[in-house]
Amino acid sequence: MAVNTEAVAIGGSDITRREFLNYAWLASIGVLTAELAVVTYLFSYPRLAPGEFGGPVPIGSWEALPGLKADPLGFNRSKFWWIVDDEDGKGKKVARAIYKVCTHLGCIYGWKQDQNKFICPCHGSQFSRIGDYRAGPAPRNLDRFLIRAVDSSGNEVARTDEEGLLDLTSPALKGANLVVETGTRIQGKPKGA
Ligand code: FES
């Protein structure tokens, strides 16, 4: 088949039609690739406003938050409960940030003060004040978020352990502010574990 090599004048120089089409094709591929890179970047790094669910949520000093025996404090926009308890009954206080979504099928459960437990309205799963499974179809304890303690320069001085517990008796927490990382979820233990 005969190839059309008719010359086209561009910028004072002659190139063939085939060369022109090749350049145009390469340019369009380049533009498409750049657009894809920008979209991927924007998708991978969502811009979260401070305190928004999915990112770090500063909650200040733990000393200004509810302590032992207090009802869980709900952070509705950030989807967690702040809870302090006496883990061993000997004065060791630990804090948790518990995800507000039920581990059964994802409903938002509620705190029932008169029963001292959380109850899910969808299928009746129940959890203790510290998020441990008690009854119903939920397969595991409630999930927790990572909590970090930072000093005035923003340097991390402490964080929750692998179970999502923050030791409030640690001297490192003196004067520190807490940040709940709602993008880092620690899955609750299976019921009966
Ligand atoms: S979603 Fe909570 S019990 Fe089913």
Side-chain angles (χ1 to χ4, degrees):
M1 192 174 87
V3 175
N4 186 351
T5 56
E6 180 184 345
V8 178
I10 295 178
S13 65
D14 288 351
I15 62 174
T16 66
R17 184 177 299 277
R18 170 170 288 185
E19 287 172 335
F20 174 77
L21 290 174
N22 282 343
Y23 290 140
W25 182 77
L26 286 173
S28 62
I29 292 290
V31 169
L32 188 63
T33 303
E35 285 177 350
L36 276 175
V38 170
V39 169
T40 302
Y41 175 82
L42 292 176
F43 184 76
S44 304
Y45 298 93
R47 282 165 287 178
L48 298 168
E52 204 167 337
F53 178 74
V57 180
I59 57 172
S61 166
W62 67 270
E63 291 169 304
L65 294 166
L68 284 175
K69 314 291 184 213
D71 281 335
L73 174 64
F75 287 76
N76 295 337
R77 190 164 155 240
S78 312
K79 300 183 185 172
F80 65 84
W81 297 95
W82 164 266
I83 301 162
V84 175
D85 84 299
D86 180 351
E87 189 184 38
D88 58 5
K90 295 175 185 167
K92 184 183 176 186
K93 290 192 291 187
V94 294
R96 301 163 167 79
I98 296 184
Y99 189 27
K100 279 193 160 201
V101 172
C102 179
T103 52
H104 180 220
L105 293 177
C107 286
I108 302 293
Y109 58 85
W111 171 245
K112 301 295 177 191
Q113 186 185 34
D114 57 337
Q115 299 177 56
N116 197 41
K117 60 187 170 190
F118 295 105
I119 298 180
C120 182
C122 292
H123 313 98
S125 286
Q126 300 184 11
F127 306 90
S128 72
R129 179 178 173 277
I130 58 172
D132 287 350
Y133 171 85
R134 286 290 176 266
R140 62 178 192 274
N141 295 345
L142 296 172
D143 297 338
R144 301 162 184 175
F145 290 119
L146 169 71
I147 307 173
R148 297 191 307 115
V150 296
D151 63 18
S152 56
S153 301
N155 301 314
E156 182 176 309
V157 293
R159 62 166 49 199
T160 45
D161 62 17
E162 66 280 357
E163 292 185 29
L165 304 178
L166 183 68
D167 179 4
L168 297 179
T169 63
S170 166
L173 262 60
K174 190 169 178 54
N177 287 311
L178 303 181
V179 178
V180 176
E181 297 288 349
T182 58
T184 306
R185 188 145 46 101
I186 300 164
Q187 203 169 74
K189 284 184 179 169
K191 60 185 176 189

